[in-house]
Amino acid sequence: MIDFLKQYCKIISYSLLGLIFAFSSFYLIVNLYHASEIRKTFVYDPSTNATMQKFQNYLTSIKENLPEIDANKYEGDLTAFQVMSADQKLKACYEELNNEAMQAIMNKNELTIVDIYNLREAFETEVVSKCVVTNLDWFAKAEKNQLNSAYLKGNQTYLRLYLDSILSDTYYLKKDLLNNSSYYFNTSLVTSTVMDKVKDGYYDLMASYTKVAAITDELAQWFSEETKGAR
Amino acid sequence: MIEILNKILYYIKLLLLLASFGFTFYIVVFMYQRLDKNILDAFSVFLPFAILFVMYAINMILNQKAVKDSVFFNFVSCMVFVLIIFCGYRAVADDFMIAKIRLGYDINFNYFSDMIAPFKIMLYGLSVADIFLILAGVKRKKKKVQDETLTVKVEAK
């Protein structure tokens, strides 16, 4: 009887150990896999990447359209204060678009998830907060009798909708990027949505950056036409 | 060969137990500090380590061969501790996990707290397996003594 119980104890003990072995192997392998997955990089060449080129072209165009201005020489509908404000706001937007995180990825050939996170954070804190909300919003919000220009009169509603769409453009990416620190039980669905966000994140973010650069360029071109004599 | 491996694993598991406890203690203390919680509330996290330590001490003091000679037990113990150390290391040093950057602390508490429950299950499991191994290895000494006295008596007669 006692021998039987001893054998029984041995069976229970080794069954438990087998379970713990399976459990620890699973966690060890899944952790190794997760660690390697979040280290995946996106290799690209900023000088040939079409998305990056498009964005850089917009930046060059904005810069060319915003040389030094003398408000006293301006002879259009806007007041000198409005001319100087518009000029400062567009120039500030150019600076925000050309932020540190963006310059960092322009000088890299290999992007990691951390670069994408930094670029998204810069989009929220620099581009959305300082450029879109503080500066570009002014063009959409200014009273029509205050900003007496045919272009803005006709396009303010469109501008408003466009800027509103930019504000929440990358929120889902932020959520996805944060998810890369939790994995629970791995499935192919989790892998595709949570991990390896570098390439997808890059293109999503560049689309948002390009959107802001495009509208800034559009406004810069209008402003350049409007203040032709004052340059 | 297996005997040498078993001996190495037998002693390494003790070192790994201390290292894994140290890592867990370090992270949990900082985590509770951040949450402004009393460290005594983390008793349940450290309890399985303490139980396992006591079990190992008993195994060593009483020189229990059933545990000492079990390669599988020693190997699984080492594996669990390696896992705890690896997860602790990732919580402290893996800069690719965005939550670590986002939270702004040097330790990824978010990740480590996810792992605490599986650690507890595995450590308690090892303690229970150890108890059953001890029970399986208990020798019926009294009966042997009785048998020996009987044979001595028969021989004397």
Side-chain angles (χ1 to χ4, degrees):
Chain A
M1 180 64 184
I2 290 172
D3 281 340
F4 169 75
L5 284 174
K6 277 167 74 176
Q7 286 296 322
Y8 206 69
C9 283
K10 215 171 187 177
I11 292 167
I12 293 173
S13 173
Y14 277 97
S15 308
L16 255 175
L17 285 173
L19 278 172
I20 300 165
F21 175 73
F23 214 38
S24 58
S25 307
F26 167 76
Y27 272 100
L28 209 55
I29 291 165
V30 98
N31 263 288
L32 286 167
Y33 173 67
H34 181 250
S36 72
E37 198 69 24
I38 58 172
R39 275 168 177 72
K40 275 191 178 168
T41 56
F42 170 50
V43 180
Y44 86 126
D45 182 1
S47 58
T48 54
N49 185 278
T51 316
M52 181 56 87
Q53 283 306 303
K54 195 175 170 189
F55 177 72
Q56 281 180 336
N57 289 343
Y58 277 128
L59 282 188
T60 316
S61 169
I62 296 167
K63 203 176 183 182
E64 280 171 2
N65 284 314
L66 294 172
E68 284 305 308
I69 188 167
D70 184 356
N72 295 324
K73 288 182 187 169
Y74 173 70
E75 290 172 346
D77 295 332
L78 305 176
T79 62
F81 172 73
Q82 285 171 339
V83 170
M84 288 313 290
S85 289
D87 186 56
Q88 288 305 314
K89 284 174 190 299
L90 290 171
K91 276 179 180 160
C93 257
Y94 170 81
E95 294 299 327
E96 303 306 343
L97 282 167
N98 202 15
N99 59 54
E100 238 176 77
M102 177 56 79
Q103 281 181 359
I105 75 153
M106 279 177 186
N107 297 323
K108 278 184 176 178
N109 289 321
E110 200 172 6
L111 301 180
T112 64
I113 191 93
V114 180
D115 294 318
I116 298 301
Y117 174 74
N118 290 337
L119 194 65
R120 204 219 73 85
E121 286 299 287
F123 184 76
E124 190 173 291
T125 56
E126 316 260 317
V127 180
V128 170
S129 300
K130 293 178 187 169
C131 170
V132 178
V133 173
T134 318
N135 296 321
L136 293 186
D137 199 58
W138 180 80
F139 291 94
K141 219 159 46 184
E143 294 291 326
K144 286 178 184 176
N145 55 358
Q146 278 179 353
L147 208 61
N148 193 11
S149 162
Y151 172 81
L152 281 181
K153 265 186 179 175
N155 291 295
Q156 259 191 339
T157 318
Y158 154 74
L159 198 60
R160 168 89 275 150
L161 287 170
Y162 195 85
L163 295 180
D164 284 347
S165 80
I166 289 168
L167 294 179
S168 56
D169 230 15
T170 60
Y171 284 178
Y172 75 95
L173 183 66
K174 179 183 185 175
K175 208 178 75 194
D176 276 1
L177 287 176
L178 278 172
N179 275 347
N180 99 326
S181 307
S182 314
Y183 54 91
Y184 304 102
F185 288 89
N186 240 28
T187 61
S188 53
L189 186 72
V190 173
T191 308
S192 62
T193 54
V194 173
M195 295 170 178
D196 194 18
K197 272 277 158 202
V198 185
K199 191 177 175 184
D200 291 353
Y202 168 77
Y203 282 108
D204 282 347
L205 273 172
M206 285 313 292
S208 299
Y209 267 89
T210 309
K211 241 169 147 180
V212 181
I215 196 73
T216 312
D217 182 41
E218 179 96 358
L219 287 167
Q221 280 182 27
W222 156 75
F223 190 64
S224 175
E225 280 294 314
E226 184 75 25
T227 57
K228 227 174 201 174
R231 302 273 174 186
Chain B
M1 184 67 188
I2 290 173
E3 274 180 24
I4 297 166
L5 179 78
N6 191 30
K7 269 198 174 171
I8 293 168
L9 289 173
Y10 184 71
Y11 291 108
I12 280 183
K13 81 177 179 192
L14 290 167
L15 292 175
L16 289 174
L17 170 66
L18 292 175
S20 59
F21 172 74
F23 240 128
T24 311
F25 186 76
Y26 172 75
I27 295 168
V28 170
V29 163
F30 276 98
M31 186 156 68
Y32 274 62
Q33 243 176 22
R34 183 181 72 91
L35 296 170
D36 270 343
K37 280 173 85 176
N38 192 342
I39 190 68
L40 291 174
D41 294 344
F43 178 70
S44 67
V45 179
F46 304 128
L47 185 65
F49 284 100
I51 292 173
L52 202 57
F53 186 76
V54 170
M55 294 307 301
Y56 286 174
I58 291 170
N59 294 337
M60 282 193 102
I61 294 163
L62 301 180
N63 196 22
Q64 280 156 337
K65 288 208 166 178
V67 182
K68 202 174 179 179
D69 295 343
S70 174
V71 187
F72 192 48
F73 178 75
N74 292 329
F75 176 73
V76 173
S77 299
C78 287
M79 210 165 153
V80 171
F81 300 137
V82 166
L83 172 70
I84 296 172
I85 293 168
F86 180 57
C87 291
Y89 171 75
R90 285 197 73 200
V92 174
D94 196 337
D95 293 329
F96 284 85
M97 284 198 274
I98 299 299
K100 194 187 168 201
I101 310 168
R102 179 82 188 166
L103 292 170
Y105 302 101
D106 289 335
I107 303 166
N108 190 350
F109 301 120
N110 195 33
Y111 162 78
F112 196 77
S113 61
D114 281 353
M115 300 299 296
I116 287 176
F119 291 165
K120 277 188 193 171
I121 293 168
M122 285 184 263
L123 292 171
Y124 279 126
L126 281 176
S127 305
V128 174
D130 195 338
I131 292 169
F132 276 109
L133 268 183
I134 292 170
L135 289 175
V138 170
K139 283 177 186 171
R140 288 182 292 170
K141 277 181 183 172
K142 276 186 183 174
K143 203 185 172 187
K144 261 192 175 178
V145 172
Q146 274 180 354
D147 289 347
E148 277 169 15
T149 46
L150 275 174
T151 45
V152 170
K153 275 180 186 174
V154 170
E155 277 171 7
K157 275 182 183 176

mmCIF file with all atom_site columns, all heavy atoms in Angstrom, chain B residues 29-43:
data_model
loop_
_atom_site.group_PDB
_atom_site.id
_atom_site.type_symbol
_atom_site.label_atom_id
_atom_site.label_alt_id
_atom_site.label_comp_id
_atom_site.label_asym_id
_atom_site.label_entity_id
_atom_site.label_seq_id
_atom_site.pdbx_PDB_ins_code
_atom_site.Cartn_x
_atom_site.Cartn_y
_atom_site.Cartn_z
_atom_site.occupancy
_atom_site.B_iso_or_equiv
_atom_site.pdbx_formal_charge
_atom_site.auth_seq_id
_atom_site.auth_comp_id
_atom_site.auth_asym_id
_atom_site.auth_atom_id
_atom_site.pdbx_PDB_model_num
ATOM 1   N N   . VAL B 1 29 ? 10.089 46.352 -5.686  1.00 0.00 ? 29 VAL B N   1
ATOM 2   C CA  . VAL B 1 29 ? 10.263 47.468 -4.734  1.00 0.00 ? 29 VAL B CA  1
ATOM 3   C C   . VAL B 1 29 ? 10.075 48.803 -5.453  1.00 0.00 ? 29 VAL B C   1
ATOM 4   O O   . VAL B 1 29 ? 9.333  49.676 -4.992  1.00 0.00 ? 29 VAL B O   1
ATOM 5   C CB  . VAL B 1 29 ? 11.654 47.399 -4.046  1.00 0.00 ? 29 VAL B CB  1
ATOM 6   C CG1 . VAL B 1 29 ? 12.018 48.725 -3.404  1.00 0.00 ? 29 VAL B CG1 1
ATOM 7   C CG2 . VAL B 1 29 ? 11.669 46.308 -2.997  1.00 0.00 ? 29 VAL B CG2 1
ATOM 8   N N   . PHE B 1 30 ? 10.696 48.946 -6.634  1.00 0.00 ? 30 PHE B N   1
ATOM 9   C CA  . PHE B 1 30 ? 10.549 50.200 -7.395  1.00 0.00 ? 30 PHE B CA  1
ATOM 10  C C   . PHE B 1 30 ? 9.111  50.380 -7.876  1.00 0.00 ? 30 PHE B C   1
ATOM 11  O O   . PHE B 1 30 ? 8.588  51.493 -7.902  1.00 0.00 ? 30 PHE B O   1
ATOM 12  C CB  . PHE B 1 30 ? 11.520 50.222 -8.580  1.00 0.00 ? 30 PHE B CB  1
ATOM 13  C CG  . PHE B 1 30 ? 12.884 50.700 -8.187  1.00 0.00 ? 30 PHE B CG  1
ATOM 14  C CD1 . PHE B 1 30 ? 13.897 49.807 -7.911  1.00 0.00 ? 30 PHE B CD1 1
ATOM 15  C CD2 . PHE B 1 30 ? 13.151 52.054 -8.057  1.00 0.00 ? 30 PHE B CD2 1
ATOM 16  C CE1 . PHE B 1 30 ? 15.152 50.231 -7.522  1.00 0.00 ? 30 PHE B CE1 1
ATOM 17  C CE2 . PHE B 1 30 ? 14.405 52.499 -7.670  1.00 0.00 ? 30 PHE B CE2 1
ATOM 18  C CZ  . PHE B 1 30 ? 15.413 51.582 -7.399  1.00 0.00 ? 30 PHE B CZ  1
ATOM 19  N N   . MET B 1 31 ? 8.482  49.256 -8.254  1.00 0.00 ? 31 MET B N   1
ATOM 20  C CA  . MET B 1 31 ? 7.101  49.333 -8.750  1.00 0.00 ? 31 MET B CA  1
ATOM 21  C C   . MET B 1 31 ? 6.164  49.813 -7.638  1.00 0.00 ? 31 MET B C   1
ATOM 22  O O   . MET B 1 31 ? 5.320  50.679 -7.859  1.00 0.00 ? 31 MET B O   1
ATOM 23  C CB  . MET B 1 31 ? 6.673  47.947 -9.241  1.00 0.00 ? 31 MET B CB  1
ATOM 24  C CG  . MET B 1 31 ? 5.332  47.903 -9.900  1.00 0.00 ? 31 MET B CG  1
ATOM 25  S SD  . MET B 1 31 ? 5.179  46.512 -11.027 1.00 0.00 ? 31 MET B SD  1
ATOM 26  C CE  . MET B 1 31 ? 5.190  45.136 -9.919  1.00 0.00 ? 31 MET B CE  1
ATOM 27  N N   . TYR B 1 32 ? 6.345  49.285 -6.433  1.00 0.00 ? 32 TYR B N   1
ATOM 28  C CA  . TYR B 1 32 ? 5.479  49.675 -5.312  1.00 0.00 ? 32 TYR B CA  1
ATOM 29  C C   . TYR B 1 32 ? 5.770  51.106 -4.867  1.00 0.00 ? 32 TYR B C   1
ATOM 30  O O   . TYR B 1 32 ? 4.892  51.801 -4.407  1.00 0.00 ? 32 TYR B O   1
ATOM 31  C CB  . TYR B 1 32 ? 5.621  48.678 -4.160  1.00 0.00 ? 32 TYR B CB  1
ATOM 32  C CG  . TYR B 1 32 ? 4.686  47.507 -4.336  1.00 0.00 ? 32 TYR B CG  1
ATOM 33  C CD1 . TYR B 1 32 ? 4.812  46.662 -5.441  1.00 0.00 ? 32 TYR B CD1 1
ATOM 34  C CD2 . TYR B 1 32 ? 3.651  47.271 -3.454  1.00 0.00 ? 32 TYR B CD2 1
ATOM 35  C CE1 . TYR B 1 32 ? 3.952  45.611 -5.634  1.00 0.00 ? 32 TYR B CE1 1
ATOM 36  C CE2 . TYR B 1 32 ? 2.771  46.213 -3.643  1.00 0.00 ? 32 TYR B CE2 1
ATOM 37  C CZ  . TYR B 1 32 ? 2.927  45.383 -4.737  1.00 0.00 ? 32 TYR B CZ  1
ATOM 38  O OH  . TYR B 1 32 ? 2.051  44.359 -4.935  1.00 0.00 ? 32 TYR B OH  1
ATOM 39  N N   . GLN B 1 33 ? 7.032  51.512 -5.017  1.00 0.00 ? 33 GLN B N   1
ATOM 40  C CA  . GLN B 1 33 ? 7.388  52.897 -4.688  1.00 0.00 ? 33 GLN B CA  1
ATOM 41  C C   . GLN B 1 33 ? 6.651  53.853 -5.621  1.00 0.00 ? 33 GLN B C   1
ATOM 42  O O   . GLN B 1 33 ? 6.097  54.861 -5.198  1.00 0.00 ? 33 GLN B O   1
ATOM 43  C CB  . GLN B 1 33 ? 8.884  53.084 -4.887  1.00 0.00 ? 33 GLN B CB  1
ATOM 44  C CG  . GLN B 1 33 ? 9.610  53.421 -3.608  1.00 0.00 ? 33 GLN B CG  1
ATOM 45  C CD  . GLN B 1 33 ? 11.102 53.492 -3.847  1.00 0.00 ? 33 GLN B CD  1
ATOM 46  O OE1 . GLN B 1 33 ? 11.560 53.690 -4.972  1.00 0.00 ? 33 GLN B OE1 1
ATOM 47  N NE2 . GLN B 1 33 ? 11.859 53.336 -2.793  1.00 0.00 ? 33 GLN B NE2 1
ATOM 48  N N   . ARG B 1 34 ? 6.647  53.486 -6.910  1.00 0.00 ? 34 ARG B N   1
ATOM 49  C CA  . ARG B 1 34 ? 5.998  54.326 -7.915  1.00 0.00 ? 34 ARG B CA  1
ATOM 50  C C   . ARG B 1 34 ? 4.497  54.417 -7.651  1.00 0.00 ? 34 ARG B C   1
ATOM 51  O O   . ARG B 1 34 ? 3.877  55.452 -7.827  1.00 0.00 ? 34 ARG B O   1
ATOM 52  C CB  . ARG B 1 34 ? 6.238  53.744 -9.314  1.00 0.00 ? 34 ARG B CB  1
ATOM 53  C CG  . ARG B 1 34 ? 5.667  54.565 -10.443 1.00 0.00 ? 34 ARG B CG  1
ATOM 54  C CD  . ARG B 1 34 ? 5.942  53.903 -11.766 1.00 0.00 ? 34 ARG B CD  1
ATOM 55  N NE  . ARG B 1 34 ? 5.146  52.710 -11.966 1.00 0.00 ? 34 ARG B NE  1
ATOM 56  C CZ  . ARG B 1 34 ? 3.960  52.696 -12.541 1.00 0.00 ? 34 ARG B CZ  1
ATOM 57  N NH1 . ARG B 1 34 ? 3.412  53.803 -12.974 1.00 0.00 ? 34 ARG B NH1 1
ATOM 58  N NH2 . ARG B 1 34 ? 3.299  51.578 -12.693 1.00 0.00 ? 34 ARG B NH2 1
ATOM 59  N N   . LEU B 1 35 ? 3.908  53.307 -7.210  1.00 0.00 ? 35 LEU B N   1
ATOM 60  C CA  . LEU B 1 35 ? 2.472  53.282 -6.966  1.00 0.00 ? 35 LEU B CA  1
ATOM 61  C C   . LEU B 1 35 ? 2.108  53.798 -5.580  1.00 0.00 ? 35 LEU B C   1
ATOM 62  O O   . LEU B 1 35 ? 0.937  53.816 -5.198  1.00 0.00 ? 35 LEU B O   1
ATOM 63  C CB  . LEU B 1 35 ? 1.939  51.847 -7.112  1.00 0.00 ? 35 LEU B CB  1
ATOM 64  C CG  . LEU B 1 35 ? 2.047  51.221 -8.497  1.00 0.00 ? 35 LEU B CG  1
ATOM 65  C CD1 . LEU B 1 35 ? 1.718  49.747 -8.446  1.00 0.00 ? 35 LEU B CD1 1
ATOM 66  C CD2 . LEU B 1 35 ? 1.113  51.914 -9.468  1.00 0.00 ? 35 LEU B CD2 1
ATOM 67  N N   . ASP B 1 36 ? 3.137  54.207 -4.790  1.00 0.00 ? 36 ASP B N   1
ATOM 68  C CA  . ASP B 1 36 ? 2.917  54.664 -3.408  1.00 0.00 ? 36 ASP B CA  1
ATOM 69  C C   . ASP B 1 36 ? 2.246  53.598 -2.567  1.00 0.00 ? 36 ASP B C   1
ATOM 70  O O   . ASP B 1 36 ? 1.386  53.905 -1.724  1.00 0.00 ? 36 ASP B O   1
ATOM 71  C CB  . ASP B 1 36 ? 2.076  55.953 -3.400  1.00 0.00 ? 36 ASP B CB  1
ATOM 72  C CG  . ASP B 1 36 ? 2.965  57.170 -3.473  1.00 0.00 ? 36 ASP B CG  1
ATOM 73  O OD1 . ASP B 1 36 ? 4.165  57.016 -3.209  1.00 0.00 ? 36 ASP B OD1 1
ATOM 74  O OD2 . ASP B 1 36 ? 2.464  58.260 -3.806  1.00 0.00 ? 36 ASP B OD2 1
ATOM 75  N N   . LYS B 1 37 ? 2.599  52.347 -2.819  1.00 0.00 ? 37 LYS B N   1
ATOM 76  C CA  . LYS B 1 37 ? 1.985  51.266 -2.045  1.00 0.00 ? 37 LYS B CA  1
ATOM 77  C C   . LYS B 1 37 ? 2.978  50.751 -1.020  1.00 0.00 ? 37 LYS B C   1
ATOM 78  O O   . LYS B 1 37 ? 4.200  50.863 -1.198  1.00 0.00 ? 37 LYS B O   1
ATOM 79  C CB  . LYS B 1 37 ? 1.583  50.122 -2.985  1.00 0.00 ? 37 LYS B CB  1
ATOM 80  C CG  . LYS B 1 37 ? 0.273  50.386 -3.716  1.00 0.00 ? 37 LYS B CG  1
ATOM 81  C CD  . LYS B 1 37 ? 0.003  49.338 -4.754  1.00 0.00 ? 37 LYS B CD  1
ATOM 82  C CE  . LYS B 1 37 ? -0.683 48.124 -4.201  1.00 0.00 ? 37 LYS B CE  1
ATOM 83  N NZ  . LYS B 1 37 ? -1.020 47.162 -5.273  1.00 0.00 ? 37 LYS B NZ  1
ATOM 84  N N   . ASN B 1 38 ? 2.423  50.162 0.047   1.00 0.00 ? 38 ASN B N   1
ATOM 85  C CA  . ASN B 1 38 ? 3.279  49.593 1.082   1.00 0.00 ? 38 ASN B CA  1
ATOM 86  C C   . ASN B 1 38 ? 3.939  48.326 0.545   1.00 0.00 ? 38 ASN B C   1
ATOM 87  O O   . ASN B 1 38 ? 3.266  47.464 -0.025  1.00 0.00 ? 38 ASN B O   1
ATOM 88  C CB  . ASN B 1 38 ? 2.412  49.264 2.297   1.00 0.00 ? 38 ASN B CB  1
ATOM 89  C CG  . ASN B 1 38 ? 3.253  48.936 3.506   1.00 0.00 ? 38 ASN B CG  1
ATOM 90  O OD1 . ASN B 1 38 ? 4.443  48.629 3.387   1.00 0.00 ? 38 ASN B OD1 1
ATOM 91  N ND2 . ASN B 1 38 ? 2.638  49.001 4.666   1.00 0.00 ? 38 ASN B ND2 1
ATOM 92  N N   . ILE B 1 39 ? 5.238  48.203 0.768   1.00 0.00 ? 39 ILE B N   1
ATOM 93  C CA  . ILE B 1 39 ? 5.980  47.049 0.235   1.00 0.00 ? 39 ILE B CA  1
ATOM 94  C C   . ILE B 1 39 ? 5.483  45.735 0.859   1.00 0.00 ? 39 ILE B C   1
ATOM 95  O O   . ILE B 1 39 ? 5.615  44.661 0.268   1.00 0.00 ? 39 ILE B O   1
ATOM 96  C CB  . ILE B 1 39 ? 7.509  47.246 0.424   1.00 0.00 ? 39 ILE B CB  1
ATOM 97  C CG1 . ILE B 1 39 ? 8.319  46.185 -0.342  1.00 0.00 ? 39 ILE B CG1 1
ATOM 98  C CG2 . ILE B 1 39 ? 7.908  47.222 1.872   1.00 0.00 ? 39 ILE B CG2 1
ATOM 99  C CD1 . ILE B 1 39 ? 8.256  46.278 -1.819  1.00 0.00 ? 39 ILE B CD1 1
ATOM 100 N N   . LEU B 1 40 ? 4.866  45.837 2.050   1.00 0.00 ? 40 LEU B N   1
ATOM 101 C CA  . LEU B 1 40 ? 4.341  44.619 2.699   1.00 0.00 ? 40 LEU B CA  1
ATOM 102 C C   . LEU B 1 40 ? 3.216  43.987 1.868   1.00 0.00 ? 40 LEU B C   1
ATOM 103 O O   . LEU B 1 40 ? 2.951  42.791 1.970   1.00 0.00 ? 40 LEU B O   1
ATOM 104 C CB  . LEU B 1 40 ? 3.825  44.947 4.103   1.00 0.00 ? 40 LEU B CB  1
ATOM 105 C CG  . LEU B 1 40 ? 4.907  45.326 5.125   1.00 0.00 ? 40 LEU B CG  1
ATOM 106 C CD1 . LEU B 1 40 ? 4.275  45.761 6.434   1.00 0.00 ? 40 LEU B CD1 1
ATOM 107 C CD2 . LEU B 1 40 ? 5.865  44.165 5.366   1.00 0.00 ? 40 LEU B CD2 1
ATOM 108 N N   . ASP B 1 41 ? 2.570  44.817 1.032   1.00 0.00 ? 41 ASP B N   1
ATOM 109 C CA  . ASP B 1 41 ? 1.501  44.284 0.165   1.00 0.00 ? 41 ASP B CA  1
ATOM 110 C C   . ASP B 1 41 ? 2.069  43.343 -0.899  1.00 0.00 ? 41 ASP B C   1
ATOM 111 O O   . ASP B 1 41 ? 1.324  42.578 -1.512  1.00 0.00 ? 41 ASP B O   1
ATOM 112 C CB  . ASP B 1 41 ? 0.744  45.434 -0.539  1.00 0.00 ? 41 ASP B CB  1
ATOM 113 C CG  . ASP B 1 41 ? -0.027 46.281 0.451   1.00 0.00 ? 41 ASP B CG  1
ATOM 114 O OD1 . ASP B 1 41 ? -0.218 45.803 1.590   1.00 0.00 ? 41 ASP B OD1 1
ATOM 115 O OD2 . ASP B 1 41 ? -0.436 47.396 0.099   1.00 0.00 ? 41 ASP B OD2 1
ATOM 116 N N   . ALA B 1 42 ? 3.382  43.430 -1.119  1.00 0.00 ? 42 ALA B N   1
ATOM 117 C CA  . ALA B 1 42 ? 4.008  42.570 -2.138  1.00 0.00 ? 42 ALA B CA  1
ATOM 118 C C   . ALA B 1 42 ? 4.415  41.215 -1.564  1.00 0.00 ? 42 ALA B C   1
ATOM 119 O O   . ALA B 1 42 ? 5.104  40.435 -2.208  1.00 0.00 ? 42 ALA B O   1
ATOM 120 C CB  . ALA B 1 42 ? 5.232  43.265 -2.717  1.00 0.00 ? 42 ALA B CB  1
ATOM 121 N N   . PHE B 1 43 ? 3.948  40.951 -0.356  1.00 0.00 ? 43 PHE B N   1
ATOM 122 C CA  . PHE B 1 43 ? 4.273  39.694 0.337   1.00 0.00 ? 43 PHE B CA  1
ATOM 123 C C   . PHE B 1 43 ? 3.945  38.481 -0.540  1.00 0.00 ? 43 PHE B C   1
ATOM 124 O O   . PHE B 1 43 ? 4.710  37.519 -0.616  1.00 0.00 ? 43 PHE B O   1
ATOM 125 C CB  . PHE B 1 43 ? 3.473  39.658 1.647   1.00 0.00 ? 43 PHE B CB  1
ATOM 126 C CG  . PHE B 1 43 ? 3.668  38.402 2.428   1.00 0.00 ? 43 PHE B CG  1
ATOM 127 C CD1 . PHE B 1 43 ? 4.873  38.135 3.064   1.00 0.00 ? 43 PHE B CD1 1
ATOM 128 C CD2 . PHE B 1 43 ? 2.641  37.462 2.539   1.00 0.00 ? 43 PHE B CD2 1
ATOM 129 C CE1 . PHE B 1 43 ? 5.046  36.964 3.782   1.00 0.00 ? 43 PHE B CE1 1
ATOM 130 C CE2 . PHE B 1 43 ? 2.815  36.288 3.253   1.00 0.00 ? 43 PHE B CE2 1
ATOM 131 C CZ  . PHE B 1 43 ? 4.024  36.047 3.876   1.00 0.00 ? 43 PHE B CZ  1
#
